[in-house]
Amino acid sequence: MNISLRLLSVLLCVCVATLCRADEFADLVVKLNGDSFSEKTEAVGGLHRLDDKRVLPVLKAMQDGNLFVVAEAGQIVIGKESGEGYEVQSVLDNSPLGVRTKSQLEKIKINNGLRRELRSLVAGLELSAKDPDIRRQSAINLIKNPDESLRESVESALGGEKNQAIKSLLHVALASIDINSTDTVKRKAAVAILADAVQPEAVAMLEKVAAKDPSGHYLEADTELASTAEAALIRIQTQLGIYKFIENCFFGISLGSVLLLAAIGLAITFGVMGVINMAHGEMIMLGAYTTFAIQQLFPQWLEMSIIIAIPAAFLVSGAVGVLIERTIIRHLYGRPLETLLATFGVSLVLQQAVRSFRANNVAVITPEWMSGMWQINGALSFTFNRMYIILFSLAVLALLAFLLRKTYMGLQMRAVTQNRAMANSMGIRSGWVDALTFGLGSGIAGIAGVALSQITNVGPNMGQQYIIDSFMVVVFGGVGNLMGTFFAALSLGVVNKFLEPFAGAVLGKIIVLVFIILFIQWRPRGLFALKGRFVED
Amino acid sequence: MRDTSVLQRLLLQDKPGKILLGCLCGLVVLVPIFNLLVPADSFFHVPTYVVTLLGKYLCFAILALALDLIWGYCGILSLGQGAFFALGGYAMGMYLMRQIGDRGVYGNANLPDFMVFLNWQELPWYWTGFDHFGFAVLMAVLVPGVLAFVFGWLAFRSRVTGVYLSIITQALTYALMLAFFRNDMGFGGNNGLTDFKEILGCDLQSSTTRVVLFVVTVITLALSYFLCKYITISKLGRVLVSIRDAESRTRFMGYRVEHYKLLVFVISAVLAGIAGALYVPQIGIINPSEFNPLNSIEIVIWVAIGGRGTLYGAVLGALLVNYGKTYFTGGIFAEFWLFILGALFIVTTIYLPRGVVGVADNWLALRRQKRLLLAAAPVEQV
Amino acid sequence: MTQAHSAVKSILYLNGVTKTFDGFKAINNLCLDIRPGELRAIIGPNGAGKTTMMDIITGKTKPDVGEVVFRDSIDLTQHDEADIANLGIGRKFQKPTVIESLSVWENLELALAGKRNVFQTLFFRLTQAQAHRVDEILALIGLPARRDDLARNLSHGQKQWLEIGMLIIQAPQLLLVDEPAAGMTDYETMETAKLLKNISKDHSVVVVEHDMEFIRALDSRVTVLHEGSVLAEGRLDVVQKDQRVIDVYLGR
Ligand SMILES: Nc1ncnc2c1ncn2[C@@H]1O[C@H](COP(=O)(O)OP(=O)(O)OP(=O)(O)O)[C@@H](O)[C@H]1O
Ligand SMILES: [Mg+2]
């Protein structure tokens, strides 16, 4: 009895305390819209002392000029510009309150003193935030805009920071403040720290210190410092060069794996069956639209949508592929040029069909777990979606190679494509094998569409952009050879990326196309040509 | 029979050719009369825009002829004819651009508007000479011809054939399209060349100029037809067919297949270039979308629908499909045109491998057979 | 032409020719010597490399190593198919290949000996003598009635005859004939043999055939090919008694 009473009283106390605090937050927020700037400053200081995770967004919004009072209700909200008006959000519980026009909102004004105050408070809060991403972002911001007045916050944050990566960022932030100080010792230390950093901003600061006038003398009075900076710069430049190279390779490989995904399906229909499927690009498009449709139909499963879309897109594009094979291509075996024309017709029809749904250029949402990146250091980071695409395309390739080489179905496919009559007489139903092979190629194109939807907009023409490139990959790698397709796709991707910086994207592409056109003259059957008699007829 | 003169060989044994020539003669005489002499309010007046439209169709017919020569007879499915057409068009467009002089928006007599806009100070070297009509015409022939020669020499020498060649020609077209879309190429970027004022001192908007251009197009079409016809009925034509049917057998007979292919490929490219040069002054614009690979494939479908390997079938197909296109894209069916075009691709390749001409042939043959049977029937009864 | 024959010692000379496909030796150290005016029969089991040997002679396939010499001095490995054909080597394929969408007459006209240059073909006019020659060959191969029919519509045997006709009208110095009798009746087979013997009076001829009656009728030197090299060579009756030949070919 006694105990329970005590418990009750304790509970009560806690409730009251939180209530009080909640009230305090609300009260202080209202005071942010006080009549004088001193009242506002006081409220800001009060908020800062609260241990409440709602404080940071409010102060940040205030600093950025995104804190508003709703005209008639007097309610204080955070606004985000959208279209004509602002999308607003309650400061108390972050609940969305819809869109308001400019005239319905009144901005909470701040003056320079308050702005300075806010900046240091916000920085302090951010640097001590629990979420490492916020801390990291804040450190990066500090490096970009070094601010003498924030030095203390940075120093204290450095003391408490456990995360090594963020710690080194903070060091750089500190150095970027110190480098502008008058104290030679501090500056020397700063240069030493910057010399180990690879952030572009750090490089810029070093460059400033090491700058020379036209006659070759340092602009910097402290020549010793300047020459250390210069030496450090040389070292950093080579380091940056290496990172740039790695990054180019990564981008190239990721571009290559997109090409690979787009081309694998083609390698089957063209390479294994000898069918030129000009509608291949539209199979990719169907896959991308399937992803979009799934996100529209099941918004609650957004995070899983991509995973669901992979089999779904395979089935949709595969089914369309089987349909095309049974109704059209079946009549055209042994007439490759005619197949090219007929499937081109199919591609026109599919494109126009999608266009009539008026779903041009829709954007597919990237799920949380696929966005973000793996930050290695200031100059090098790999985005997750590209890494997933690389892994995914390799997995698809491996699966396919297994299917073709090691399964009975693969054996049948190869048998039919190499000698139809013989396979028929051995009891293989070549019609179905053809349909399934074509369906497989198309289905893989659909999967490629799922991957592509993560990096570009989805539209009726998206297939067209990839079809010529995919053909180039297959032709370059050698028809009928998955290994060749793999190497061709990756090398074309990488070459394209390396050409881009000094030739531009378009010219780079032209160069690659011309290169392949010339390459075909040298090796008409591609890098990894199939050998044997039948290829000659 | 084998000692007949060239003209006899060209015309006498070619009934469809005679019909085609008749139609073209009719057009040359009638269109100018009904456009220029018949008053505008008369029922029989042919408006100038119709003359231009007809002229456009006939340019396409030349293009189709050019493709039929290499595809129908030699089996080279080039998906780059549209590019040769566009190159010819650009050559003519550059001449027309220079004729604008200082009448452009910026009034700069030395530079075309788009160059002024790009802040260029002087004319790029490759624009020199295009003030002269003769030079432009020469380029309209030479540029596609030389490109075809270089490309063909490389491709045919290393025996790139069949679908490989198609894909490579498509890549070439695509690369050219990308290149011409670039502003710093100096060909007007994605706006291309337009706002032409006059050709050889004649106002491009006037009916007389339009009619003259039309007549020139008709004559060019007729000449192109005879050129192609002559090639196909010569022994060279039979070598081409032989290459199409059995390329390596032809080699073992001692024919240098790559030379033959190269010759017709270049001729075909030149014809396409000429068609492009005739097209631009009538239409009044040339831009990089003419390089779109879709256009090149469309040419193939004209020929396929008309009937490949017949020449007149190609002309017929170009006229039919383009008339259909004008008809449908103008009306409420605009959205359906691509469906129709797509269906045409599918249906002709599967069900009409010899095109409209083949259908007509079959039908005529059937009728002849019936008549023979009917003629024979009474005899049997007796 | 007869003069040319007497001037050279051997019309075709293969020495140490080897050709490998993916590690498989289709032709293995092959040596062969055909003298001007000779008729030579070549036999051997399936896959012995007979067709591949012809591919090498006519430039379709390049040998890995070895000499292929035409008329004592011309190195055939340095020339391509068209060149070799123009040098005077004609070939009939194992699978009859005629130009399907040309008429019989046009097929012969195309093969007719003459200049193969592009512009010469463009302005080519058939002379009276050439037309006669075509008609003559047409009669020889027994197809005058099918003169204007498309080659596509001929029967298999007729296509064989047409191809032989095309070969003859091409007037090569050396004829390579791959399985001419396949698909012909016994009577026609004997006719073909007679025809080839006739031709060999002023041409050199190499014939590949599986039909022993045909080979016997040719009554010529026989070379037995096995696994890409020469197993035996001599008159048919001698070769037929050779134990190794019986083991690998005739005995089966
Ligand atoms: N291009 C090629 N690629 C791979 N192998 C080949 C090629 N050409 C020939 N071969 C192989 O070389 C061998 C010899 O073939 P070839 O056609 O010369 O035999 P053949 O003596 O003519 O037989 P047949 O009597 O059946 O006509 C065969 O095993 C064949 O498979
Ligand atoms: Mg053989």
Side-chain angles (χ1 to χ4, degrees), chain A residues 532-533 536, chain C residues 21 24 26 44-52 94 179 210:
Chain A
R533 242 180 190 171
E536 284 160 25
Chain C
F21 294 112
F24 169 76
N46 295 121
K50 305 178 294 291
T51 304
T52 309
Q94 182 164 355
E179 306 204 10
H210 288 297

Side-chain angles (χ1 to χ4, degrees), chain A residues 24-51:
Chain A
E24 211 180 336
F25 177 76
D27 286 348
L28 286 169
V29 164
V30 171
K31 283 198 191 123
L32 286 179
N33 193 26
D35 298 326
S36 70
F37 283 115
S38 63
E39 199 177 328
K40 287 183 185 178
T41 315
E42 214 168 278
V44 166
L47 276 173
H48 179 237
R49 278 188 294 278
L50 287 181
D51 181 21

